[in-house]
Amino acid sequence: MKNLLRTIGLVSLVFAAASWAAERTFYGGVDENGVLQESFFLPLSVILGIAGLICLALSFVVKTRR
C-alpha cells in the first residue's frame, strides 16, 4: 500500500509539473486586445499537486499490512 501511494503521489507531481510547464509555455499571457489567456492547465496542476502531496503524506503515515 505504501509503495502504491508513493508511486501515485510521484506520478501526480510529475503530471502537475508538466501541466504547470504547459501553462507557462503556451498560456498565461495577455493578448493584444487586453484579454487574459488562461487554460485548464493551471487548475489541473494545482489539483494534481495537492493530490500528489496528500498521497505522499499518506504513504508515510499508513502502516504496511503483514
Side-chain angles (χ1 to χ4, degrees), residues 8-9 11-17 19 43-53:
I8 291 172
V11 168
S12 249
L13 288 176
V14 167
F15 283 150
S19 193
L44 183 65
S45 65
V46 170
I47 291 168
L48 287 172
I50 291 171
L53 290 175

Side-chain angles (χ1 to χ4, degrees), residues 2-63:
K2 290 173 80 168
N3 289 334
L4 178 65
L5 281 173
R6 283 187 187 155
T7 303
I8 291 172
L10 290 175
V11 168
S12 249
L13 288 176
V14 167
F15 283 150
S19 193
W20 178 79
E23 170 72 28
R24 299 299 297 163
T25 302
F26 300 113
Y27 299 100
V30 178
D31 67 1
E32 60 274 355
N33 296 327
V35 177
L36 181 63
Q37 299 295 317
E38 288 293 325
S39 72
F40 185 64
F41 288 118
L42 184 62
L44 183 65
S45 65
V46 170
I47 291 168
L48 287 172
I50 291 171
L53 290 175
I54 289 172
C55 285
L56 282 177
L58 284 176
S59 75
F60 290 112
V61 173
V62 171
K63 294 183 179 182

